[in-house]
Amino acid sequence: MAITLKEVAERAGVSRSAVSRTFTDGASVSEKMRRKVEKAARDLGYSPNALASSLTTGRTKLIGLVSNNFHNPIFLQVFDLFTRGLQDRGLRPLLVNLSDETDPEASVRMLRQYSVDGAVVASSTLSPEFAKAFRDAGVPVVHSFGRHSSTPQVHVVGIDNVACGRMAARSLVARGYRRIGFLGGPQNATSTQDRFAGFMSELEGHPGLDLSHSFAAAYSFNAGRAEMMRLLRSEPAEAYFCGDDVLSIGVLSAITESGLSVPHDIGLIGLNDMEMAGWQNINLTTIHQPIRQIVNSSIELMVAMLDEPDRYPEARIFPCSIVERGTLRPVT
């Protein structure tokens, strides 16, 4: 049977309230008392009951980790970093799948049923209204991989997707490509809109280019592959900036299946620099998104908000860089 707080108190020769204070963050207890209680707990194999502690402190230490990109392999890395990072800080992640959810208010109601202390919206495709709905309900929230804004309404941590679009465009022009295409993710996703806007605005300054654009149904391998198969039925571009790496890998599959080669026939550049992009059989030239830094910064903001819920919203934007591999021809 589980060891009780009473048994620890008897073993240590202290009151039950002293044991409770020892295992309550921020509670006042002398160092001598703490050592005595912790030794008794170790000897008996006692572990504090987190649920019982939440009733005393009013804090569950649950952080809702909200996303809708479970089909994208990049988020396996994202979730791994988030869950380990939150746990290292004594917090407990509650993973929430919003893949089929379109109502921000319903998402808030669901998480409030679990009395979360805060929420991290980890998505570049969910509408900013999701993060705002948590804020309006009084739940501390950070939008990780959210849309860049100089006047954020909630804490936002991510990249400047417009700048990434410009970066991809400059890279393709520098390699002498003249027929250039954008193959993005869902057209209603803010990340797609911003990457496309930056890409096209940069190319407008280069006359004589033949530009095209299209959008896949999702940020997924199958969606990228299907869209590229459609494009190959007519005259495809010489090179494409794909909305992210998993789309690029689907596009690469369609090109090679059609008997063409990359980069000899068609060049590709992706975005994210997910682990698979560096695999030898993929070797994707891509734009590196500093995922680890984004996750760590998001957790730092969440921890700060738990102590200061009214903290003024800020945007933390991290720079990106091109990772040269083998899916674009050399710079001319």
Side-chain angles (χ1 to χ4, degrees):
M1 294 182 63
I3 303 299
T4 65
L5 183 145
K6 178 182 178 182
E7 290 172 290
V8 175
E10 291 174 349
R11 178 67 172 258
V14 300
S15 66
R16 280 182 286 181
S17 64
V19 177
S20 178
R21 291 198 307 275
T22 299
F23 293 108
T24 300
D25 291 340
S28 176
V29 60
S30 70
E31 187 59 31
K32 181 179 178 181
M33 180 77 73
R34 182 181 300 279
R35 286 198 301 267
K36 186 184 296 187
V37 170
E38 288 178 347
K39 183 180 185 306
R42 285 194 303 271
D43 291 344
L44 293 172
Y46 170 78
S47 296
N49 187 315
L51 293 177
S53 176
S54 69
L55 295 175
T56 302
T57 63
R59 300 273 287 268
T60 64
K61 297 187 179 181
L62 279 173
I63 303 298
L65 182 54
V66 180
S67 188
N68 63 335
N69 292 324
F70 283 71
H71 55 271
N72 192 330
I74 190 66
F75 273 84
L76 293 176
Q77 179 183 353
V78 170
F79 297 148
D80 175 58
L81 291 170
F82 261 121
T83 52
R84 286 193 286 118
L86 289 168
Q87 288 166 183
D88 287 346
R89 289 162 175 82
L91 301 171
R92 295 190 291 275
L94 175 67
L95 199 57
V96 179
N97 186 344
L98 295 185
S99 294
D100 300 317
E101 184 58 73
T102 58
D103 180 10
E105 300 300 330
S107 306
V108 172
R109 287 195 297 271
M110 179 174 62
L111 261 72
R112 294 194 78 172
Q113 290 176 354
Y114 293 95
S115 301
V116 296
D117 286 342
V120 175
V121 178
S123 172
S124 63
T125 57
L126 279 175
S127 163
E129 297 304 318
F130 277 84
K132 293 175 188 173
F134 286 104
R135 178 208 63 187
D136 294 344
V139 178
V141 62
V142 176
H143 193 170
S144 191
F145 305 97
R147 192 175 207 172
H148 166 60
S149 171
S150 58
T151 56
Q153 295 180 284
V154 301
H155 293 285
V156 177
V157 185
I159 61 175
D160 185 341
N161 283 297
V162 174
C164 287
R166 293 195 182 105
M167 185 183 299
R170 288 193 297 269
S171 181
L172 297 183
V173 170
R175 287 165 166 78
Y177 292 112
R178 308 302 293 172
R179 298 198 320 277
I180 298 176
F182 175 85
L183 198 164
Q187 193 168 1
N188 63 348
T190 58
S191 54
T192 301
Q193 295 166 6
D194 290 348
R195 291 166 193 177
F196 177 58
F199 188 71
M200 298 306 289
S201 66
E202 178 67 28
L203 294 177
E204 287 171 359
H206 298 273
L209 299 179
D210 182 4
L211 307 179
S212 62
H213 63 273
S214 61
F215 303 96
Y219 281 119
S220 71
F221 173 91
N222 288 333
R225 185 179 180 281
E227 183 58 22
M228 192 67 225
M229 293 297 287
R230 185 187 72 81
L231 293 171
L232 288 169
R233 288 196 286 268
S234 56
E235 185 177 5
E238 294 178 295
Y240 288 90
F241 170 40
C242 298
D244 80 341
D245 288 350
V246 72
L247 274 179
S248 303
I249 295 170
V251 168
L252 177 62
S253 172
I255 293 171
T256 55
E257 185 177 322
S258 299
L260 301 175
S261 69
V262 175
H264 179 73
D265 296 306
I266 298 176
L268 298 177
I269 182 171
L271 193 153
N272 274 334
D273 193 24
M274 62 191 293
E275 181 183 357
M276 290 171 60
W279 290 0
Q280 187 176 2
N281 63 325
I282 296 173
N283 200 29
L284 178 68
T285 298
T286 187
I287 296 173
H288 174 74
Q289 179 172 203
I291 292 172
R292 184 178 295 275
Q293 291 94 318
I294 291 170
V295 170
N296 288 342
S297 185
S298 299
I299 294 174
E300 287 173 7
L301 276 173
M302 176 51 62
V303 170
M305 289 187 71
L306 295 179
D307 293 326
E308 189 184 350
D310 296 328
R311 184 185 177 97
Y312 193 78
E314 64 177 288
R316 296 184 179 181
I317 305 302
F318 289 84
C320 296
S321 59
I322 291 180
V323 179
E324 299 282 357
R325 293 196 180 99
T327 56
L328 289 180
R329 65 194 185 195
V331 174
T332 58

